[in-house]
Amino acid sequence: MTSAPPAAPSAAPLVERLDGLLFFPVTAFGPDGAVDLDTFRAHVRDGIEAGAAAVFACCGTGEFHALTPEEFRACVAAAVEEAGGRVPVLAGAGYGTALAIRYARLAEEAGADGLLAMPPYLVVADQAGLLRHYTELAAATSLDVIVYQRDNAVLTPETAVALARAEGVIGLKDGLGDLDLMQRIVSAVRAEGLDLLYFNGLPTAELTGLAYRGIGVTLYSSAVFCFAPDLALAFHRALTTGDDATVNRLVDGFYRPLVELRAKGRGYAVSLVKAAVRMGGLDVGEVRPPLSEPAPEHLKELAVIIERGRALLATGEGDA
């Protein structure tokens, strides 16, 4: 079968193209531990064809921390080629400012549309340092930047306002889960007549989707989309259309048990996702150290949870 030619790249600004389910693919590794670009391409292609609105390559779920600069560039370029302009491709950029800028420039060379700025490595910086870090990163390339708030990179509303004024910074992804802080950030930025895109970036964002929507944060990253796009898309559709019955059914029977399983192991926000992709028939390999594979009993639980989610989805479709 001959593939359709890739679509022409969109001329619309990135801020207008990020609307829908955001796909954070895992990075595929072969039996020897090396990056498996062919399998990675297949994973990205499957996600786009399933309905992803954007591809965030080599970010947290993609084990950014474990990739060399050369591997990073190759994976971003592969994602860009597979997207073919149909959806935007964003790439991770992290560590200290100098290395983050290096990764940003590699992503730009590879054809990425934007960056997800990961928290700086290890250090706990003050607000002035964080502001300088992100503004220098944004100034280093022509790519738009989304700042990822979590762990050691937590912003005050005042810093968020300053970032909203910075050239090239278009969004804030929240992986902290402090709704009080996020409401104050949204309010402070709005009060200054500024705009940012806001993203729910918690590891299983669907679980808190209703709460985030209550403060105006409607975009989110979906790890579930990596291995069960049917479930992720059905939930997204229900959430955006106000189908609370479907939302609650999937939260109660699928997403909450998944989050509770994720809490049973260190690094499970990545390793469980990768295991689930393998369960679906695409051998993306294991996680790289220092992450470890999930315990066998947890893999059995994962399979049951996925099966239950699909059964709940089928039940809902039968009721429609």
Side-chain angles (χ1 to χ4, degrees):
M1 182 175 68
T2 303
S3 299
S10 172
L14 179 60
V15 70
E16 296 178 8
R17 301 178 66 197
L18 292 171
D19 183 21
L21 263 186
L22 310 178
F23 174 35
F24 285 64
V26 302
T27 300
F29 301 126
D32 61 353
V35 169
D36 181 347
L37 281 178
D38 288 341
T39 302
F40 177 71
R41 284 177 177 276
H43 182 44
V44 171
R45 186 165 58 249
D46 289 348
I48 294 171
E49 292 174 354
V55 175
F56 284 69
C58 304
C59 295
T61 309
E63 296 179 81
F64 169 79
H65 69 277
L67 299 174
T68 67
E70 296 77 17
E71 291 171 331
F72 169 87
R73 189 190 188 287
C75 287
V76 175
V80 169
E81 290 173 10
E82 290 301 328
R86 291 176 290 172
V87 298
V89 175
L90 294 89
Y95 304 117
T97 307
L99 266 179
I101 288 172
R102 182 182 179 193
Y103 278 95
R105 289 174 175 163
L106 289 172
E108 187 171 33
E109 291 171 9
D113 298 284
L115 300 170
L116 178 64
M118 315 289 278
Y121 172 72
L122 193 59
V123 296
V124 179
D126 62 14
Q127 293 297 298
L130 289 172
L131 179 59
R132 182 180 175 189
H133 173 75
Y134 292 121
T135 53
E136 289 187 8
L137 174 60
T141 77
S142 65
L143 299 180
D144 288 329
V145 174
I146 296 166
V147 174
Y148 193 3
Q149 168 171 268
R150 61 176 293 171
D151 300 324
N152 60 328
V154 178
L155 308 178
T156 63
E158 294 77 16
T159 302
V161 168
L163 284 172
R165 297 188 192 279
E167 186 72 25
V169 176
I170 66 167
L172 175 64
K173 179 183 179 186
D174 181 52
L176 182 66
D178 184 338
L179 288 175
D180 176 87
L181 175 60
M182 275 304 296
Q183 177 65 85
R184 289 186 288 118
I185 286 174
V186 170
S187 174
V189 172
R190 182 175 59 228
E192 293 297 320
L194 302 169
D195 290 312
L196 281 176
L197 288 178
Y198 298 102
F199 304 79
N200 175 355
L202 291 173
T204 305
E206 288 92 341
L207 190 70
T208 52
L210 285 170
Y212 273 85
R213 287 186 75 84
I215 61 170
V217 179
T218 58
L219 292 168
Y220 63 88
S221 53
S222 175
V224 169
F225 187 87
C226 285
F227 60 87
D230 52 339
L231 283 167
L233 287 165
F235 183 90
H236 183 265
R237 184 166 54 252
L239 188 63
T240 55
T241 60
D243 180 0
D244 290 346
T246 297
V247 167
N248 291 335
R249 184 168 63 251
L250 290 175
V251 164
D252 295 348
F254 173 69
Y255 285 105
R256 179 174 56 81
L258 180 63
V259 168
E260 290 170 348
L261 175 60
R262 191 192 69 219
K264 292 182 179 180
R266 296 278 190 175
Y268 273 19
V270 177
S271 60
L272 271 181
V273 173
K274 207 162 194 181
V277 175
R278 293 196 303 270
M279 287 178 183
L282 186 65
D283 187 0
V284 291
E286 298 185 349
V287 291
R288 279 180 171 175
L291 296 180
S292 298
E293 287 298 297
E297 63 270 23
H298 293 160
L299 293 178
K300 292 179 181 177
E301 286 184 53
L302 177 61
V304 170
I305 290 169
I306 295 171
E307 182 179 0
R308 183 189 307 134
R310 291 208 163 104
L312 289 168
L313 188 60
T315 298
E317 291 171 348
D319 293 341

